[in-house]
Amino acid sequence: MIPKYIKLLFCIPFVIIIGYSVYLCTVYSSIPEIITIHGYGNMKDNYGSKIFLIMPVIMNLVILLFIWLIISRPDKIKFTFEIDENEREKIYHITQLALVIIAIFVTIMMTPLAFSDIVYK
């Protein structure tokens, strides 16, 4: 069973995504049709359509779905240590809380900061 505070904390990433999406929709028409898409490693910067601004939101939703599946079934996690029956629930709650914190951090990194040089000019 998932504690209520975990469910409430897991709503924070969705509030951030909704806020970013609303802001993106309001400034979408003022963004140039062709934007710079930054490369990584040996890849050079390229140019692409501004529709690519929606990709971080979609990728973030996929990651959040994956994290939620892990949160909802902590008994399926292969821990590297032996779990005592008396402490099983406590360890599951700590693990779920850590996953929610990771979800919030990933959302903050992927949505508003991903396109700060394009959207927030």
Side-chain angles (χ1 to χ4, degrees), residues 30-116:
S30 65
I31 298 172
E33 290 297 321
I34 304 297
I35 60 171
T36 303
I37 300 173
H38 299 292
Y40 56 90
N42 292 333
M43 294 178 58
K44 296 183 179 176
D45 290 347
N46 261 332
Y47 296 97
S49 174
K50 67 180 179 180
I51 197 73
F52 284 114
L53 292 173
I54 298 170
M55 288 305 294
V57 174
I58 294 170
M59 287 176 14
N60 199 347
L61 290 174
V62 169
I63 290 170
L64 289 177
L65 174 69
F66 180 69
I67 290 174
W68 180 254
L69 291 174
I70 296 171
I71 288 174
S72 63
R73 297 298 307 264
D75 56 323
K76 298 293 182 183
I77 299 173
K78 303 279 190 214
F79 291 99
T80 59
F81 52 89
E82 193 70 30
I83 300 175
D84 189 26
E85 282 297 321
N86 301 333
E87 302 219 354
R88 182 175 304 274
E89 288 299 315
K90 180 181 175 185
I91 291 173
Y92 287 170
H93 289 259
I94 291 171
T95 304
Q96 289 170 330
L97 183 61
L99 287 168
V100 167
I101 291 169
I102 290 170
I104 293 169
F105 180 74
V106 165
T107 302
I108 289 172
M109 293 306 293
M110 284 189 73
T111 46
L113 295 179
F115 295 103
S116 61

